[in-house]
Amino acid sequence: MNKLTHKINFCIFDFNMKKNIQILLILLLIVCKIQFAFSQNNQVLIDGDLKQTLYTKFKKEVQAYNKNDFDKLFFDFFQIQGDKKIILTKEEYYTYTIKISIYSEKLGLLYKSQKEESQKAKIDWMNKNYQDYLQSKK
């Protein structure tokens, strides 16, 4: 009877150990996902603050752009973006994307028939991400 009790206790211990390991692994996975989410959100907040600062800084300047000024900005951005040797800083990259976004907003205000398309373009340019840009350079 003592051997039977020992086997039962060992089986219970073994079952509890497996269950504890599974719970521990699940908790570890959850903690990792939460940490990743917070780090991503933190980066989005930092980038969002920078974007907002640049938007405020350049809004009046870009609203005064004519078509030639915008074409030069747009051409310069795509020329630099296509050159694998040149890597923009985060502020330089966001300066281009925010200026293009502001000009898109301006077009929506000037041409009411293109308001919806301009708003979509503005949002697309505002949502550009520096990390995606860096990945494209590899």
Side-chain angles (χ1 to χ4, degrees):
M1 191 126 174
N2 193 12
K3 288 184 178 182
L4 181 61
T5 306
H6 180 68
K7 281 187 175 184
I8 291 172
N9 285 338
F10 181 73
C11 288
I12 291 172
F13 174 76
D14 189 41
F15 175 74
N16 286 337
M17 188 65 134
K18 286 181 183 176
K19 190 172 184 175
N20 288 340
I21 290 172
Q22 288 174 340
I23 290 171
L24 183 64
L25 288 174
I26 290 171
L27 288 174
L28 183 63
L29 181 65
I30 290 170
V31 168
C32 289
K33 284 191 174 215
I34 289 172
Q35 177 65 26
F36 179 74
F38 279 126
S39 66
Q40 290 285 20
N41 284 342
N42 194 20
Q43 187 62 40
V44 168
L45 290 175
I46 291 169
D47 287 356
D49 289 343
L50 177 59
K51 288 178 182 182
Q52 187 61 44
T53 301
L54 293 172
Y55 181 86
T56 304
K57 180 179 178 180
F58 292 113
K59 185 172 182 178
K60 287 184 181 181
E61 176 188 326
V62 174
Q63 286 179 338
Y65 277 11
N66 61 30
K67 177 114 172 72
N68 291 336
D69 294 330
F70 176 73
D71 288 345
K72 182 182 179 332
L73 171 76
F74 201 74
F75 179 73
D76 288 347
F77 176 69
F78 278 99
Q79 190 174 21
I80 290 170
Q81 191 173 8
D83 189 344
K84 296 285 186 187
K85 296 175 187 172
I86 301 173
I87 297 179
L88 298 170
T89 65
K90 185 183 282 192
E91 187 169 340
E92 291 170 332
Y93 176 76
Y94 285 139
T95 296
Y96 277 107
T97 60
I98 296 303
K99 283 182 173 183
I100 294 169
S101 172
I102 294 168
Y103 194 80
S104 297
E105 180 181 45
K106 175 185 173 179
L107 290 178
L109 296 172
L110 290 175
Y111 305 103
K112 300 295 182 191
S113 63
Q114 296 179 0
K115 185 175 183 175
E116 194 172 306
E117 294 167 18
S118 296
Q119 186 64 24
K120 184 182 179 311
K122 174 191 173 189
I123 291 169
D124 289 345
W125 283 102
M126 288 290 282
N127 288 336
K128 296 283 186 190
N129 185 314
Y130 185 68
Q131 296 303 320
D132 294 339
Y133 163 73
L134 291 177
Q135 288 296 323
S136 74
K137 289 292 189 170
K138 291 183 179 180

